[in-house]
Structure formats: C-alpha cells, structure tokens
Amino acid sequence: LMEGIHKAAEETDTVGELVIRRRSAPHDVTSIDADGFLCFHPYRDDFARLELIAEEKAVVVVGGSLDNTPLHCVDSENYKGMRAAVRHLVDMGHERIAIVNGPLNSPNCMHRFQGYVAEMEASGLKTRDDHVFNAEMAATVGPVLDRLSHSIRNRHRPTAVIACGYYLALEVMTLLQQMDLRIPKDISLI
C-alpha cells in the first residue's frame, strides 16, 4: 500500500511533497500544513472530526467506512466477506463457530461482527457469548486468546474459528497448535 502511494505521488504532474507522519488521532492533524490526508483505519469516533477536516482539505479514509459519511472511503467488503466465511463453515457442517475480532469501535471489526451475527442467524444458529471474542485493544489479544483457550476446552467447544485479520489468525493458529489441535482435522480456522 505504501509503495503504491509513493509511486502515485511520484507520477503526478503536481509539484509537491509526500510527507508521511504517524498520528494516533485526527485531532492532531490540524497542525500539519497539508493539502490532504490519507487516514488509515480510523475508529468510528474519529469520523466526525475527519468530516470537519474534509470541509477544508481533501480526506481519504483507507481501511474503514461508515454508512452516510461524506468522506471518500476505500475499504473491503467486511460485512459480505464475513457472511461468506460463516456460510462456508456452515456448508461444511459447522454449527459452533467462534469469532476472534478486534475492537468494535473499528468500523471494519464492527462490520465483520455484524456479518457474523447476521449469517449465524440466517443459518438458524445461535451466536453464543462464549464463542464471541472482540478485543477492545490490540494489547488485549492475550486475554482474548486465554478466553478462547478456555472455550476450546469446554464440552461445547467451537468446531471452527474465524479470526478477523492476518495477525489474529496467526495468533489463533499458534494457540491451536499449542493445544495439540490439528487444523482442519480437529478444528477449522478461517
């Protein structure tokens, strides 16, 4: 993604400069003298501030979107993708499907969770609290994995896990291997 941004900036006819600065929240971007901003994975709470900034400068959100926002957003089909993932597992015969997700304040995580709930309901399956693992911060992945580990040891353990992101999937895969569970023979993982 960053390589593509650099390449596009170099190919433009406009004389200018591409400056990449890491900021944790949109409220501190107003001090930057720029014509526009690319904002990666903002939280839902950040959209209102970004909309205000967009009244004066160009703002593009990458990796996040909300309905009815005037912002230009480039995002994945998180809701539809999650529904497809759940449907795939249901078609394979799974009925107890766990989700390991990030914080619901992230639009991507919220949309994935909504897709999970919608497809579970559409398939006539219950969304079990002991199979839902939404981390409130990346730093809380450890406790989430501890809860998942406990759930997997339970009699009504999930037969499949959907990890909402590459790094979460690696963490879940490592946990399952440490528990001597074989993927996909003992438990499925998306």
Side-chain angles (χ1 to χ4, degrees):
L1 186 61
M2 296 308 293
E3 185 178 321
I5 291 168
H6 280 283
K7 184 176 179 183
E10 290 170 2
E11 292 175 355
T12 124
D13 292 334
T14 310
V15 176
E17 182 179 9
L18 172 66
V19 178
I20 298 175
R21 293 188 186 162
R22 186 178 194 111
R23 300 288 191 205
S24 60
H27 68 272
D28 56 5
V29 300
T30 54
S31 63
I32 301 172
D33 183 26
D35 296 321
F37 299 97
L38 290 172
C39 297
F40 296 88
H41 306 288
Y43 286 119
R44 285 184 295 168
D45 302 344
D46 296 331
F47 273 75
R49 180 71 178 141
L50 291 171
E51 289 169 6
L52 287 174
I53 293 169
E55 290 176 4
E56 297 181 21
K57 299 183 180 204
V59 175
V60 175
V61 173
V62 180
S65 60
L66 289 180
D67 292 337
N68 302 319
T69 183
L71 295 172
H72 299 281
C73 299
V74 179
D75 200 7
S76 301
E77 291 281 357
N78 293 293
Y79 180 85
K80 290 179 183 177
M82 180 56 70
R83 288 199 69 162
V86 172
R87 168 61 39 209
H88 175 70
L89 291 170
V90 169
D91 289 347
M92 292 176 59
H94 292 282
E95 295 180 357
R96 294 188 310 270
I97 303 167
I99 181 173
V100 179
N101 198 6
L104 295 181
N105 194 27
S106 162
N108 288 348
C109 296
M110 177 187 63
H111 293 144
R112 290 172 186 153
F113 183 67
Q114 290 170 339
Y116 168 81
V117 171
E119 192 58 38
M120 291 290 284
E121 289 176 359
S123 299
L125 301 174
K126 289 185 179 182
T127 302
R128 298 171 48 127
D129 289 340
D130 60 333
H131 291 170
V132 173
F133 307 95
N134 291 314
E136 286 312 309
M137 294 175 55
T140 62
V141 170
V144 165
L145 292 176
D146 288 344
R147 286 183 44 234
L148 176 61
S149 173
H150 178 74
S151 179
I152 290 172
R153 288 185 182 100
N154 192 333
R155 189 176 81 134
H156 298 288
R157 73 175 184 85
T159 59
V161 178
I162 299 175
C164 299
Y166 177 75
Y167 293 109
L168 285 175
L170 289 175
E171 295 278 350
V172 171
M173 183 176 67
T174 300
L175 171 69
L176 296 175
Q177 290 170 340
Q178 289 170 348
M179 297 178 74
D180 293 323
L181 293 171
R182 296 165 296 174
I183 303 166
K185 187 170 183 164
D186 299 322
I187 189 167
S188 293
L189 174 63
I190 292 182

